[in-house]
Amino acid sequence: MPEHTVQRTFERITFLPVFHARLEFAAVVRQALLADPPDLVAVELPGTWREPVLQAVNRLPFLSLVLGEEGAQARAFLPIEPCDAIVEALRTARELGLPAELIDLDGADYPRVREPLPDSFALQRLGYEALLDAYYAHGERPRVPEDDARETMMAHALQRLAARGGRIACVLGAHHLPGVRDRLAAPQPRPLARVQPRALRLYNWSLKSSQEFLSESPFLAAAYERWRAARARAGHAAG
């Protein structure tokens, strides 16, 4: 095993680390869940956002925006779009009738961090495992203070879920896998953070917004939906 490999299992937990908002990773997550369905799917999103996020996932392929409001200001937002691997994990879990849990921390606003990433299209040639090995071999990744609390929260949530028994598939950003996995070796406390749900509202995206703000181009998002639908039809035919 290469020295830079990060283990992607821990007891009954299988990790599916991803780059966010990249259709290649959404496809990998869908194929992995279909090929070997777990008993539960856990994803890197705050549990306090659960209801509007799941409602938005149920509306796909129609695009939604979950907006957190405090007073007259919008403090946080989350686009729900088909090419994001976290969204795909929730969507596939719903189709398979699997329970899903949102395990991240709802704390202060997480800063934007620029991290050099390999082109996710390389996944087609290298394969999922080799691409992740190359990513982890790159060396130290930029971290912010909020990472420690978030990774502690995710490990804490996974430990509670694992205590119920059954197999868990955890979909999270590749950046957080080493920190979460290391913390699973010892019991983790629940960090101090918001417990009650935020004031959240669900919005439709306008046509102009979808053209300008989709993570992947609208053409690629549509192609992904067609690929997804075709694979679903093929699966039903085979069944």
Side-chain angles (χ1 to χ4, degrees):
M1 180 177 295
E3 182 178 338
H4 52 260
T5 295
V6 176
Q7 286 289 326
R8 293 190 272 281
T9 60
F10 184 91
E11 297 180 351
R12 293 189 301 274
I13 303 170
T14 298
F15 291 98
L16 294 169
V18 300
F19 300 165
H20 294 295
R22 294 292 181 266
L23 69 84
E24 293 88 356
F25 282 89
V28 163
V29 165
R30 179 165 175 79
Q31 290 171 320
L33 295 178
L34 291 175
D36 186 18
D39 298 301
L40 182 144
V41 175
V43 301
E44 181 201 321
L45 286 176
T48 50
W49 289 60
R50 176 184 178 85
E51 294 308 319
V53 166
L54 294 183
Q55 183 181 351
V57 168
N58 290 343
R59 298 182 68 245
L60 287 167
F62 296 104
L63 303 176
S64 302
L65 181 73
V66 180
L67 188 68
E69 300 176 341
E70 293 186 5
Q73 293 186 325
R75 297 296 301 275
F77 66 92
L78 177 68
I80 304 297
E81 53 179 310
C83 292
D84 182 76
I86 302 293
V87 171
E88 180 58 79
L90 293 173
R91 194 178 183 188
T92 300
R94 178 180 61 83
E95 293 174 2
L96 294 176
L98 302 175
E101 294 290 341
L102 283 59
I103 62 171
D104 203 353
L105 187 72
D106 188 352
D109 294 339
Y110 190 77
R112 295 183 67 87
V113 179
R114 292 189 177 275
E115 179 182 10
L117 296 174
D119 186 345
S120 57
F121 183 74
L123 188 150
Q124 303 298 320
R125 180 177 293 272
L126 296 177
Y128 178 61
E129 302 291 337
L131 182 65
L132 287 174
D133 286 345
Y135 168 74
Y136 290 121
H138 186 267
E140 291 295 323
R141 286 160 294 284
R143 289 182 65 83
V144 296
E146 290 84 354
D147 286 331
D148 289 332
R150 291 183 61 196
E151 290 165 5
T152 297
M153 179 64 201
M154 286 188 271
H156 167 80
L158 287 170
Q159 288 171 338
R160 294 187 64 185
L161 294 173
R164 304 177 188 175
R167 295 166 53 243
I168 299 171
C170 178
V171 183
L172 77 173
H175 173 79
H176 294 294
L177 173 59
V180 172
R181 195 187 182 287
D182 287 348
R183 286 168 169 80
L184 289 173
Q188 296 298 311
R190 190 190 193 284
L192 293 176
R194 181 189 295 268
V195 176
Q196 296 300 320
R198 287 177 182 263
L200 298 168
R201 296 185 66 181
L202 191 62
Y203 292 91
N204 295 320
W205 285 28
S206 69
L207 178 60
K208 182 178 179 181
S209 294
S210 65
Q211 292 172 338
E212 295 185 4
F213 297 112
L214 276 169
S215 298
E216 301 282 11
S217 72
F219 175 83
L220 290 178
Y224 180 78
E225 277 296 312
R226 288 193 294 271
W227 170 84
R228 198 179 184 283
R231 294 296 294 266
R233 289 194 297 270
H236 290 317

